[in-house]
Amino acid sequence: MANVDSQVNVRLEPNEDSDRVGYLYSDCGGYIVEYTDEWTKIQSGNIVGWVNNDYLSFGDEAMAKADELGCKD
C-alpha cells in the first residue's frame, strides 16, 4: 500500500536512476512480486515495477488502511 500524500514512482529497476514505468497513487496498493530490504517489486493493475520501501506500508499497517478504504481483496 502506498504511504504517500500524492504518488510514488514505480521504476523499471530497483534504483532511483531507473526509468519510471508508472505511479502508485496515495491509498493504492498492489501485489508483492519480490521484496528486498530497500525496494519492493509490485504489480498494481497493468504496472509491474519497483518502489522504494520508504514509500510503502506493509503488514498490519497496510491491511488496516485497506480495511479503512474498503478495498481489501
Side-chain angles (χ1 to χ4, degrees):
M1 173 87 42
N3 187 14
V4 294
D5 290 331
S6 179
Q7 63 195 27
V8 62
N9 293 322
V10 180
R11 304 276 182 185
L12 184 61
E13 298 294 330
N15 66 70
E16 291 181 12
D17 296 326
S18 181
D19 291 338
R20 183 180 61 235
V21 296
Y23 298 103
L24 186 61
Y25 294 96
S26 175
D27 298 335
C28 290
Y31 296 98
I32 295 174
V33 176
E34 186 176 340
Y35 176 84
T36 70
D37 289 339
E38 195 172 337
W39 293 83
T40 297
K41 188 173 190 179
I42 60 138
Q43 178 179 356
S44 182
N46 62 351
I47 294 177
V48 177
W50 294 89
V51 178
N52 187 297
N53 291 345
D54 291 342
Y55 304 105
L56 296 172
S57 295
F58 297 95
D60 291 341
E61 182 181 359
M63 294 300 284
K65 187 66 171 178
D67 283 340
E68 176 185 320
L69 296 170
C71 62
K72 191 166 110 180
D73 196 86

